[in-house]
Amino acid sequence: MNDTPEDELMRLSLRAGLTPEEETRLEFLLTTHPEARAIWEADHALGRALQSLPDVPLSSNFTARVLQAVDLEAAQEARQARSRPWFRVLLPRLGGVTAALLLAFFGVQEYRAVKRLELAKDVSLMEMAKLPGADVLQDFDAINQLQQIAATSDEELLKALQ
């Protein structure tokens, strides 16, 4: 609460006697702000009316009755909590979990899409001149057959030398 010193002074004036300095400040406030005087007079009249009312005697078992009412209310709330359908209890919790899972799922999907775009960009930026041309691969079958023949002839040569 943001009370001004004047609000605090008016509140104090309704509750207890003021010091002479506080009375002077209150009177200055009331003369400079007529709307504050009207509010103060209404509050002051209400306070006097409340003070004139007789005190109502409390019953001897007042505390026991209040504690009994609190226990009764707690028991009713517990009974209502047990009688609620399971989906009414779990649905608010599942909403938060579902939202978290969807957020994680779409976050992973977005991450994958960004990584794919980065990969495509990197591949497109590669210098194609550094890669060998298709003419290098035209003799692939012949070279492959020579390697197979060389492997078998090396084994035969090794056996002959032993």
Side-chain angles (χ1 to χ4, degrees):
M1 231 165 69
N2 295 334
D3 285 339
T4 62
E6 291 82 14
D7 291 338
E8 182 65 27
L9 190 60
M10 289 180 69
R11 194 174 309 110
L12 287 173
S13 71
L14 294 175
R15 292 191 188 140
L18 297 177
T19 64
E21 177 188 320
E22 290 173 337
E23 284 180 11
T24 306
R25 286 179 48 204
L26 178 63
E27 195 55 43
F28 175 75
L29 171 70
L30 295 177
T31 56
T32 56
H33 299 289
E35 70 278 357
R37 179 174 285 281
I39 293 170
W40 180 80
E41 286 176 353
D43 285 346
H44 196 63
L46 180 62
R48 281 192 313 244
L50 288 174
Q51 287 176 351
S52 67
L53 292 174
D55 288 337
V56 177
L58 294 177
S59 62
S60 61
N61 63 348
F62 176 76
T63 305
R65 289 174 57 192
V66 169
L67 292 176
Q68 182 182 17
V70 168
D71 290 341
L72 180 63
E73 186 176 327
Q76 286 175 346
E77 287 178 4
R79 213 175 12 260
Q80 287 175 351
R82 283 192 303 263
S83 67
R84 288 184 190 152
W86 62 270
F87 58 87
R88 287 199 177 191
V89 174
L90 292 179
L91 193 60
R93 294 179 185 160
L94 289 177
V97 170
T98 303
L101 288 175
L102 285 174
L103 184 63
F105 174 76
F106 287 118
V108 167
Q109 293 300 323
E110 183 64 23
Y111 177 77
R112 286 181 176 174
V114 167
K115 286 299 178 183
R116 279 191 215 116
L117 287 174
E118 288 177 1
L119 179 63
K121 183 179 176 184
D122 290 344
V123 167
S124 67
L125 293 178
M126 268 197 219
E127 294 179 348
M128 296 304 223
K130 291 183 179 178
L131 296 176
D135 55 337
V136 172
L137 299 176
Q138 75 186 22
D139 297 328
F140 177 76
D141 292 332
I143 294 171
N144 194 23
Q145 287 176 356
L146 285 175
Q147 287 177 349
Q148 289 174 357
I149 292 171
T152 57
S153 62
D154 287 343
E155 289 173 5
E156 292 172 1
L157 182 62
L158 181 62
K159 286 181 185 177
L161 290 175
Q162 291 176 350

